[in-house]
Amino acid sequence: MAVFDYEFMQRAFWAGAMLGIIAPVLGVYLMLRRQALMADTLSHVSLAGVALGSLLGMSPAVTGIAAAVLGGVLVDGLRRAYRTYSEMSVAIIMTSGLALAIVLMSLRTNWSKSFSSYLFGSIVAVNDAGLWLIGSVTAAGLIYLFVLRRPLYNMTFDEETAQISGMQVKRLSFSFAILTGMTVAAAMPIVGVLLVSSLMVLPASLALRMASGFTMAILVSVAAGWLGIFSGLTISYYVNVPPGGTISLMLLLMLLSAMLAQKLLRRQGRYKQQALLMGQGNRTTNLREGVER
């Protein structure tokens, strides 16, 4: 395929393949913990980190990751401070991060073209250093999720019981927030800051609707993430449209298609059940009439 003739497209697909594993898996945990806006919040915070790095002459990728990690820790800390109103932590950090990003961006007017790629995503933004960064984050995330899979599972479904049983829930939650922040920042070159949460939320939403168990939900979310990323990158190359928006729209289309298919299957199942009940009723009536005769 012509799309693989260019090195930047090869790097984009490699980056997408790695993010298509770690982002949807984290999305399943976030959705089950009712933290669907966590990724969106951290993406706004990482935007402030990117702006700060550009102002200070530092690597925007590194400062973006640092800001996202810090934002994740703050969200988790505030969530514990406002237990009754846990969604307040997301609102506080999101608005603060966006406000800081706007102020920092206003201090410099000649933003380079590469900065806009952090906002909307760009295939050419994934260089060799970025690819290694995404690979490192993905490898660290998979090791983390494999080693701590049982504590994470218990914390996700019943945090209070896990804490009573002696589990270090606070440390585990902080470390999970750090991993989420690193993943959000690493995904910025592909889908952009403004759409990075779609990589986590949309595949997880599809998986939780279609899968019957937790393990199946993980597998379905990864498959949906890969399909959305690969199809989005291919379409963006041939149609010359931004990859971030294309990937998000493909994931949204998959979610809507799955919901429609599920609705049609349920309706078909009800029709079959009604037809079966009607058939049984007719047979009972015929049998009764035969006995009466």
Side-chain angles (χ1 to χ4, degrees):
M1 295 177 65
V3 68
F4 294 114
D5 291 341
Y6 300 96
E7 289 188 4
F8 68 89
M9 287 302 300
Q10 295 174 10
R11 289 194 295 268
F13 273 88
W14 274 113
M18 290 184 284
L19 290 173
I21 299 175
I22 188 66
V25 174
L26 288 177
V28 172
Y29 282 101
L30 290 174
M31 295 289 285
L32 291 174
R33 298 186 69 192
R34 302 185 186 279
Q35 292 182 306
L37 291 177
M38 180 78 163
D40 202 29
T41 301
L42 297 184
S43 66
H44 285 79
V45 176
S46 66
L47 179 62
V50 170
L52 181 63
S54 298
L55 278 175
L56 299 178
M58 301 172 64
S59 171
V62 174
T63 54
I65 288 180
V69 169
L70 178 61
V73 172
L74 291 175
V75 168
D76 196 72
L78 287 174
R79 189 173 66 88
R80 297 181 182 283
Y82 294 97
R83 286 185 177 274
T84 308
Y85 307 100
S86 58
E87 69 277 5
M88 287 181 61
S89 61
V90 173
I92 292 172
I93 300 301
M94 179 185 291
T95 53
S96 301
L98 186 59
L100 181 60
I102 292 173
V103 171
L104 292 174
M105 291 169 65
S106 67
L107 298 178
R108 181 178 173 183
T109 56
N110 58 338
W111 291 106
S112 63
K113 186 179 179 181
S114 60
F115 183 77
S116 64
S117 66
Y118 283 100
L119 287 175
F120 308 107
S122 173
I123 293 176
V124 296
V126 184
N127 52 26
D128 289 335
L131 195 61
W132 277 105
L133 179 63
I134 294 172
S136 301
V137 171
T138 302
L142 292 178
I143 293 172
Y144 173 90
L145 293 173
F146 178 77
V147 173
L148 300 174
R149 59 187 185 282
R150 291 190 181 281
L152 278 173
Y153 182 87
N154 295 331
M155 182 186 72
T156 299
F157 285 97
D158 195 345
E159 186 171 332
E160 292 183 356
T161 303
Q163 190 169 9
I164 293 173
S165 64
M167 187 182 299
Q168 297 292 331
V169 172
K170 188 175 180 179
R171 293 181 182 177
L172 188 62
S173 185
F174 270 122
S175 60
F176 182 78
I178 291 173
L179 176 61
T180 304
M182 292 170 61
T183 305
V184 168
M188 284 193 301
I190 290 290
V191 293
V193 170
L194 301 180
L195 295 173
V196 68
S197 62
S198 63
L199 272 184
M200 294 185 174
V201 174
L202 294 178
S205 301
L206 188 150
L208 293 177
R209 190 171 184 85
M210 302 297 294
S212 56
F214 182 75
T215 303
M216 185 57 67
I218 295 291
L219 296 176
V220 172
S221 66
V222 172
W226 273 346
L227 184 59
I229 291 173
F230 294 154
S231 60
L233 286 175
T234 304
I235 292 173
S236 69
Y237 172 79
Y238 285 107
V239 185
N240 193 25
V241 291
T246 310
I247 291 172
S248 298
L249 288 177
M250 291 303 298
L251 290 171
L252 179 62
L253 180 62
M254 291 167 55
L255 175 61
L256 295 177
S257 300
M259 293 173 65
L260 179 61
Q262 194 177 39
K263 188 174 182 179
L264 292 176
L265 288 174
R266 286 178 177 174
R267 181 174 297 180
Q268 187 178 11
R270 284 199 297 269
Y271 286 153
K272 287 183 177 179
Q273 190 175 11
Q274 290 175 357
L276 181 62
L277 291 174
M278 291 179 63
Q280 290 177 348
N282 291 334
R283 283 195 296 273
T284 303
T285 303
N286 294 334
L287 180 62
R288 183 180 299 168
E289 291 176 354
V291 171
E292 292 175 350
R293 289 172 186 170

Short mmCIF file of all heavy atoms in Angstrom, two decimals, residues 115-167:
data_model
loop_
_atom_site.label_atom_id
_atom_site.label_comp_id
_atom_site.label_asym_id
_atom_site.label_seq_id
_atom_site.Cartn_x
_atom_site.Cartn_y
_atom_site.Cartn_z
N PHE A 115 3.38 23.49 17.18
CA PHE A 115 2.52 23.61 18.36
C PHE A 115 1.07 23.32 18.01
O PHE A 115 0.35 22.73 18.81
CB PHE A 115 2.65 25.02 18.95
CG PHE A 115 1.84 25.20 20.20
CD1 PHE A 115 2.28 24.70 21.40
CD2 PHE A 115 0.64 25.88 20.17
CE1 PHE A 115 1.54 24.84 22.56
CE2 PHE A 115 -0.11 26.05 21.31
CZ PHE A 115 0.35 25.53 22.51
N SER A 116 0.63 23.76 16.82
CA SER A 116 -0.76 23.49 16.44
C SER A 116 -1.02 22.00 16.31
O SER A 116 -2.15 21.54 16.48
CB SER A 116 -1.10 24.20 15.13
OG SER A 116 -0.31 23.68 14.07
N SER A 117 0.05 21.24 16.00
CA SER A 117 -0.13 19.79 15.90
C SER A 117 -0.46 19.18 17.26
O SER A 117 -1.11 18.13 17.33
CB SER A 117 1.12 19.13 15.33
OG SER A 117 2.21 19.27 16.23
N TYR A 118 0.00 19.82 18.34
CA TYR A 118 -0.36 19.33 19.67
C TYR A 118 -1.84 19.56 19.96
O TYR A 118 -2.45 18.86 20.74
CB TYR A 118 0.48 20.01 20.74
CG TYR A 118 1.88 19.47 20.84
CD1 TYR A 118 2.94 20.14 20.24
CD2 TYR A 118 2.15 18.30 21.52
CE1 TYR A 118 4.23 19.65 20.32
CE2 TYR A 118 3.44 17.79 21.60
CZ TYR A 118 4.47 18.48 21.00
OH TYR A 118 5.74 17.98 21.08
N LEU A 119 -2.41 20.59 19.34
CA LEU A 119 -3.82 20.87 19.55
C LEU A 119 -4.72 19.91 18.77
O LEU A 119 -5.70 19.40 19.31
CB LEU A 119 -4.13 22.31 19.12
CG LEU A 119 -3.63 23.44 20.02
CD1 LEU A 119 -3.93 24.78 19.37
CD2 LEU A 119 -4.28 23.36 21.39
N PHE A 120 -4.39 19.70 17.50
CA PHE A 120 -5.30 18.95 16.63
C PHE A 120 -4.74 17.62 16.16
O PHE A 120 -5.43 16.87 15.49
CB PHE A 120 -5.67 19.80 15.42
CG PHE A 120 -6.17 21.17 15.78
CD1 PHE A 120 -5.39 22.29 15.59
CD2 PHE A 120 -7.42 21.33 16.36
CE1 PHE A 120 -5.84 23.55 15.93
CE2 PHE A 120 -7.88 22.58 16.72
CZ PHE A 120 -7.09 23.70 16.50
N GLY A 121 -3.48 17.33 16.44
CA GLY A 121 -2.88 16.09 16.00
C GLY A 121 -2.30 16.21 14.61
O GLY A 121 -2.84 16.89 13.74
N SER A 122 -1.18 15.55 14.38
CA SER A 122 -0.54 15.58 13.07
C SER A 122 0.28 14.31 12.88
O SER A 122 1.01 13.89 13.77
CB SER A 122 0.36 16.81 12.95
OG SER A 122 1.09 16.76 11.74
N ILE A 123 0.15 13.74 11.69
CA ILE A 123 0.91 12.52 11.40
C ILE A 123 2.40 12.80 11.41
O ILE A 123 3.19 12.03 11.97
CB ILE A 123 0.49 11.96 10.03
CG1 ILE A 123 -0.96 11.48 10.08
CG2 ILE A 123 1.40 10.83 9.60
CD1 ILE A 123 -1.48 11.00 8.76
N VAL A 124 2.81 13.94 10.84
CA VAL A 124 4.24 14.24 10.74
C VAL A 124 4.83 14.64 12.08
O VAL A 124 6.05 14.76 12.21
CB VAL A 124 4.49 15.37 9.72
CG1 VAL A 124 4.08 14.90 8.33
CG2 VAL A 124 3.72 16.62 10.11
N ALA A 125 4.01 14.88 13.11
CA ALA A 125 4.53 15.27 14.42
C ALA A 125 5.19 14.10 15.14
O ALA A 125 5.92 14.31 16.10
CB ALA A 125 3.41 15.84 15.28
N VAL A 126 4.94 12.87 14.70
CA VAL A 126 5.51 11.71 15.38
C VAL A 126 6.91 11.45 14.80
O VAL A 126 7.06 10.83 13.75
CB VAL A 126 4.63 10.47 15.19
CG1 VAL A 126 5.17 9.29 15.98
CG2 VAL A 126 3.20 10.77 15.59
N ASN A 127 7.93 11.95 15.48
CA ASN A 127 9.30 11.69 15.05
C ASN A 127 9.84 10.46 15.79
O ASN A 127 9.13 9.80 16.56
CB ASN A 127 10.18 12.92 15.29
CG ASN A 127 10.06 13.40 16.73
OD1 ASN A 127 9.75 12.62 17.64
ND2 ASN A 127 10.29 14.69 16.94
N ASP A 128 11.10 10.15 15.54
CA ASP A 128 11.68 8.96 16.17
C ASP A 128 11.69 9.08 17.70
O ASP A 128 11.41 8.10 18.41
CB ASP A 128 13.11 8.76 15.66
CG ASP A 128 13.13 8.32 14.20
OD1 ASP A 128 12.12 7.73 13.76
OD2 ASP A 128 14.13 8.57 13.51
N ALA A 129 12.02 10.28 18.20
CA ALA A 129 12.03 10.47 19.66
C ALA A 129 10.63 10.29 20.25
O ALA A 129 10.46 9.67 21.30
CB ALA A 129 12.56 11.87 19.99
N GLY A 130 9.63 10.82 19.54
CA GLY A 130 8.25 10.66 20.02
C GLY A 130 7.81 9.21 20.00
O GLY A 130 7.08 8.76 20.88
N LEU A 131 8.28 8.48 18.96
CA LEU A 131 7.92 7.06 18.88
C LEU A 131 8.51 6.27 20.04
O LEU A 131 7.85 5.40 20.63
CB LEU A 131 8.41 6.51 17.54
CG LEU A 131 7.83 5.16 17.11
CD1 LEU A 131 6.32 5.25 16.96
CD2 LEU A 131 8.47 4.70 15.81
N TRP A 132 9.77 6.59 20.39
CA TRP A 132 10.39 5.92 21.53
C TRP A 132 9.68 6.28 22.83
O TRP A 132 9.52 5.45 23.73
CB TRP A 132 11.87 6.31 21.62
CG TRP A 132 12.74 5.50 20.73
CD1 TRP A 132 13.32 5.89 19.55
CD2 TRP A 132 13.12 4.13 20.92
NE1 TRP A 132 14.03 4.85 19.00
CE2 TRP A 132 13.94 3.76 19.82
CE3 TRP A 132 12.87 3.18 21.91
CZ2 TRP A 132 14.49 2.49 19.69
CZ3 TRP A 132 13.42 1.90 21.78
CH2 TRP A 132 14.22 1.58 20.69
N LEU A 133 9.24 7.54 22.92
CA LEU A 133 8.51 7.98 24.12
C LEU A 133 7.19 7.22 24.27
O LEU A 133 6.86 6.73 25.35
CB LEU A 133 8.25 9.49 24.04
CG LEU A 133 7.46 10.10 25.21
CD1 LEU A 133 8.23 9.95 26.51
CD2 LEU A 133 7.15 11.57 24.92
N ILE A 134 6.45 7.11 23.16
CA ILE A 134 5.18 6.37 23.20
C ILE A 134 5.43 4.91 23.53
O ILE A 134 4.69 4.29 24.31
CB ILE A 134 4.45 6.52 21.85
CG1 ILE A 134 4.03 7.98 21.63
CG2 ILE A 134 3.23 5.62 21.78
CD1 ILE A 134 3.49 8.25 20.24
N GLY A 135 6.49 4.34 22.94
CA GLY A 135 6.82 2.95 23.23
C GLY A 135 7.17 2.73 24.69
O GLY A 135 6.75 1.73 25.30
N SER A 136 7.91 3.66 25.26
CA SER A 136 8.30 3.54 26.68
C SER A 136 7.08 3.63 27.58
O SER A 136 6.93 2.85 28.54
CB SER A 136 9.31 4.63 27.04
OG SER A 136 10.46 4.54 26.23
N VAL A 137 6.19 4.59 27.29
CA VAL A 137 4.98 4.74 28.10
C VAL A 137 4.09 3.51 27.98
O VAL A 137 3.53 3.01 28.98
CB VAL A 137 4.21 6.01 27.67
CG1 VAL A 137 2.84 6.07 28.34
CG2 VAL A 137 5.00 7.25 28.01
N THR A 138 3.96 2.99 26.76
CA THR A 138 3.13 1.80 26.55
C THR A 138 3.69 0.59 27.29
O THR A 138 2.96 -0.15 27.95
CB THR A 138 3.01 1.48 25.05
OG1 THR A 138 2.46 2.62 24.37
CG2 THR A 138 2.11 0.28 24.81
N ALA A 139 5.01 0.39 27.18
CA ALA A 139 5.63 -0.75 27.86
C ALA A 139 5.48 -0.63 29.37
O ALA A 139 5.11 -1.61 30.05
CB ALA A 139 7.11 -0.83 27.47
N ALA A 140 5.74 0.56 29.90
CA ALA A 140 5.61 0.76 31.35
C ALA A 140 4.15 0.56 31.78
O ALA A 140 3.88 -0.05 32.84
CB ALA A 140 6.07 2.17 31.72
N GLY A 141 3.21 1.03 30.97
CA GLY A 141 1.79 0.88 31.32
C GLY A 141 1.34 -0.57 31.31
O GLY A 141 0.60 -1.01 32.20
N LEU A 142 1.78 -1.33 30.31
CA LEU A 142 1.37 -2.74 30.24
C LEU A 142 1.96 -3.54 31.40
O LEU A 142 1.29 -4.42 31.96
CB LEU A 142 1.81 -3.33 28.89
CG LEU A 142 1.07 -2.77 27.66
CD1 LEU A 142 1.61 -3.41 26.38
CD2 LEU A 142 -0.43 -3.00 27.78
N ILE A 143 3.21 -3.26 31.74
CA ILE A 143 3.82 -3.95 32.89
C ILE A 143 3.06 -3.60 34.17
O ILE A 143 2.77 -4.46 35.00
CB ILE A 143 5.32 -3.56 33.01
CG1 ILE A 143 6.09 -4.12 31.81
CG2 ILE A 143 5.91 -4.08 34.32
CD1 ILE A 143 7.52 -3.64 31.73
N TYR A 144 2.75 -2.32 34.32
CA TYR A 144 1.99 -1.85 35.50
C TYR A 144 0.64 -2.55 35.58
O TYR A 144 0.26 -3.06 36.64
CB TYR A 144 1.82 -0.34 35.39
CG TYR A 144 0.93 0.27 36.45
CD1 TYR A 144 1.46 0.71 37.65
CD2 TYR A 144 -0.44 0.42 36.22
CE1 TYR A 144 0.64 1.28 38.61
CE2 TYR A 144 -1.25 0.98 37.18
CZ TYR A 144 -0.71 1.41 38.38
OH TYR A 144 -1.53 1.96 39.32
N LEU A 145 -0.09 -2.59 34.47
CA LEU A 145 -1.43 -3.18 34.47
C LEU A 145 -1.39 -4.68 34.68
O LEU A 145 -2.29 -5.26 35.30
CB LEU A 145 -2.14 -2.86 33.14
CG LEU A 145 -2.46 -1.38 32.91
CD1 LEU A 145 -2.99 -1.17 31.50
CD2 LEU A 145 -3.49 -0.89 33.93
N PHE A 146 -0.32 -5.34 34.20
CA PHE A 146 -0.22 -6.79 34.39
C PHE A 146 0.14 -7.14 35.83
O PHE A 146 -0.47 -8.03 36.43
CB PHE A 146 0.84 -7.37 33.43
CG PHE A 146 1.04 -8.85 33.59
CD1 PHE A 146 0.12 -9.75 33.07
CD2 PHE A 146 2.16 -9.34 34.27
CE1 PHE A 146 0.30 -11.11 33.23
CE2 PHE A 146 2.33 -10.70 34.44
CZ PHE A 146 1.41 -11.59 33.92
N VAL A 147 1.12 -6.42 36.39
CA VAL A 147 1.57 -6.73 37.75
C VAL A 147 0.48 -6.40 38.77
O VAL A 147 0.26 -7.16 39.72
CB VAL A 147 2.86 -5.95 38.06
CG1 VAL A 147 3.26 -6.11 39.52
CG2 VAL A 147 4.00 -6.44 37.15
N LEU A 148 -0.21 -5.29 38.58
CA LEU A 148 -1.21 -4.82 39.56
C LEU A 148 -2.64 -5.06 39.09
O LEU A 148 -3.56 -4.34 39.51
CB LEU A 148 -1.00 -3.33 39.83
CG LEU A 148 0.37 -2.95 40.41
CD1 LEU A 148 0.51 -1.44 40.50
CD2 LEU A 148 0.57 -3.58 41.78
N ARG A 149 -2.84 -6.07 38.25
CA ARG A 149 -4.17 -6.27 37.68
C ARG A 149 -5.22 -6.62 38.75
O ARG A 149 -6.35 -6.12 38.70
CB ARG A 149 -4.14 -7.37 36.60
CG ARG A 149 -3.66 -8.72 37.09
CD ARG A 149 -3.50 -9.68 35.92
NE ARG A 149 -3.15 -11.02 36.36
CZ ARG A 149 -1.93 -11.39 36.73
NH1 ARG A 149 -0.94 -10.51 36.71
NH2 ARG A 149 -1.69 -12.63 37.12
N ARG A 150 -4.86 -7.45 39.72
CA ARG A 150 -5.84 -7.83 40.75
C ARG A 150 -6.16 -6.67 41.70
O ARG A 150 -7.35 -6.40 41.97
CB ARG A 150 -5.33 -9.04 41.54
CG ARG A 150 -5.30 -10.32 40.70
CD ARG A 150 -5.04 -11.53 41.56
NE ARG A 150 -4.98 -12.74 40.74
CZ ARG A 150 -6.03 -13.39 40.28
NH1 ARG A 150 -7.25 -12.94 40.57
NH2 ARG A 150 -5.90 -14.47 39.54
N PRO A 151 -5.16 -5.95 42.26
CA PRO A 151 -5.51 -4.78 43.09
C PRO A 151 -6.30 -3.72 42.32
O PRO A 151 -7.23 -3.13 42.87
CB PRO A 151 -4.14 -4.25 43.53
CG PRO A 151 -3.22 -5.41 43.44
CD PRO A 151 -3.72 -6.23 42.29
N LEU A 152 -5.93 -3.50 41.06
CA LEU A 152 -6.66 -2.52 40.27
C LEU A 152 -8.10 -2.94 40.06
O LEU A 152 -9.03 -2.12 40.10
CB LEU A 152 -5.97 -2.34 38.91
CG LEU A 152 -4.76 -1.40 38.87
CD1 LEU A 152 -4.10 -1.46 37.50
CD2 LEU A 152 -5.17 0.02 39.18
N TYR A 153 -8.28 -4.23 39.82
CA TYR A 153 -9.64 -4.75 39.62
C TYR A 153 -10.49 -4.53 40.88
O TYR A 153 -11.63 -4.06 40.80
CB TYR A 153 -9.55 -6.24 39.28
CG TYR A 153 -10.87 -6.90 39.00
CD1 TYR A 153 -11.42 -6.89 37.72
CD2 TYR A 153 -11.58 -7.54 40.02
CE1 TYR A 153 -12.64 -7.49 37.47
CE2 TYR A 153 -12.80 -8.15 39.78
CZ TYR A 153 -13.32 -8.13 38.50
OH TYR A 153 -14.53 -8.73 38.26
N ASN A 154 -9.91 -4.86 42.03
CA ASN A 154 -10.65 -4.69 43.29
C ASN A 154 -10.93 -3.22 43.57
O ASN A 154 -12.03 -2.86 44.02
CB ASN A 154 -9.85 -5.30 44.44
CG ASN A 154 -9.72 -6.80 44.31
OD1 ASN A 154 -10.59 -7.46 43.73
ND2 ASN A 154 -8.63 -7.36 44.81
N MET A 155 -9.94 -2.35 43.33
CA MET A 155 -10.12 -0.92 43.59
C MET A 155 -11.15 -0.32 42.64
O MET A 155 -11.94 0.55 43.02
CB MET A 155 -8.79 -0.19 43.42
CG MET A 155 -8.86 1.31 43.71
SD MET A 155 -7.33 2.18 43.35
CE MET A 155 -7.35 2.14 41.55
N THR A 156 -11.18 -0.80 41.41
CA THR A 156 -12.09 -0.25 40.41
C THR A 156 -13.54 -0.52 40.77
O THR A 156 -14.41 0.35 40.66
CB THR A 156 -11.78 -0.84 39.03
OG1 THR A 156 -10.44 -0.47 38.67
CG2 THR A 156 -12.74 -0.31 37.98
N PHE A 157 -13.83 -1.74 41.24
CA PHE A 157 -15.22 -2.11 41.48
C PHE A 157 -15.70 -1.79 42.89
O PHE A 157 -16.89 -1.56 43.10
CB PHE A 157 -15.41 -3.61 41.20
CG PHE A 157 -15.43 -3.92 39.73
CD1 PHE A 157 -14.30 -4.36 39.08
CD2 PHE A 157 -16.60 -3.75 38.99
CE1 PHE A 157 -14.32 -4.64 37.71
CE2 PHE A 157 -16.63 -4.02 37.63
CZ PHE A 157 -15.48 -4.46 36.99
N ASP A 158 -14.79 -1.79 43.85
CA ASP A 158 -15.22 -1.47 45.23
C ASP A 158 -14.02 -0.92 45.99
O ASP A 158 -13.29 -1.66 46.65
CB ASP A 158 -15.78 -2.73 45.92
CG ASP A 158 -16.55 -2.38 47.18
OD1 ASP A 158 -16.42 -1.24 47.67
OD2 ASP A 158 -17.30 -3.25 47.66
N GLU A 159 -13.84 0.40 45.89
CA GLU A 159 -12.66 1.03 46.48
C GLU A 159 -12.69 0.96 48.01
O GLU A 159 -11.65 0.74 48.65
CB GLU A 159 -12.56 2.48 46.01
CG GLU A 159 -11.29 3.19 46.46
CD GLU A 159 -11.13 4.53 45.79
OE1 GLU A 159 -11.64 4.69 44.66
OE2 GLU A 159 -10.51 5.42 46.39
N GLU A 160 -13.85 1.15 48.61
CA GLU A 160 -13.94 1.16 50.07
C GLU A 160 -13.62 -0.22 50.65
O GLU A 160 -12.89 -0.33 51.64
CB GLU A 160 -15.33 1.62 50.49
CG GLU A 160 -15.61 3.08 50.16
CD GLU A 160 -16.97 3.52 50.66
OE1 GLU A 160 -17.70 2.66 51.18
OE2 GLU A 160 -17.29 4.71 50.53
N THR A 161 -14.18 -1.26 50.03
CA THR A 161 -13.89 -2.61 50.52
C THR A 161 -12.41 -2.95 50.36
O THR A 161 -11.81 -3.59 51.22
CB THR A 161 -14.75 -3.63 49.75
OG1 THR A 161 -16.12 -3.29 49.91
CG2 THR A 161 -14.51 -5.03 50.25
N ALA A 162 -11.83 -2.52 49.23
CA ALA A 162 -10.40 -2.77 49.01
C ALA A 162 -9.56 -2.08 50.08
O ALA A 162 -8.56 -2.64 50.55
CB ALA A 162 -10.02 -2.29 47.61
N GLN A 163 -9.96 -0.87 50.47
CA GLN A 163 -9.21 -0.15 51.50
C GLN A 163 -9.37 -0.81 52.86
O GLN A 163 -8.40 -0.91 53.62
CB GLN A 163 -9.70 1.30 51.55
CG GLN A 163 -8.83 2.21 52.42
CD GLN A 163 -9.20 3.66 52.25
OE1 GLN A 163 -10.19 3.98 51.61
NE2 GLN A 163 -8.38 4.55 52.78
N ILE A 164 -10.57 -1.28 53.17
CA ILE A 164 -10.79 -1.95 54.45
C ILE A 164 -9.99 -3.25 54.55
O ILE A 164 -9.50 -3.63 55.61
CB ILE A 164 -12.30 -2.23 54.63
CG1 ILE A 164 -13.05 -0.91 54.78
CG2 ILE A 164 -12.56 -3.12 55.84
CD1 ILE A 164 -14.55 -1.06 54.79
N SER A 165 -9.83 -3.91 53.41
CA SER A 165 -9.09 -5.17 53.41
C SER A 165 -7.58 -5.00 53.53
O SER A 165 -6.84 -5.99 53.55
CB SER A 165 -9.41 -5.95 52.13
OG SER A 165 -8.94 -5.24 51.00
N GLY A 166 -7.11 -3.74 53.63
CA GLY A 166 -5.69 -3.50 53.83
C GLY A 166 -4.93 -3.09 52.59
O GLY A 166 -3.71 -2.90 52.65
N MET A 167 -5.60 -2.94 51.49
CA MET A 167 -4.92 -2.57 50.25
C MET A 167 -4.52 -1.09 50.29
O MET A 167 -5.24 -0.25 50.82
CB MET A 167 -5.87 -2.82 49.06
CG MET A 167 -5.22 -2.63 47.71
SD MET A 167 -6.43 -2.88 46.40
CE MET A 167 -6.88 -4.58 46.71
#
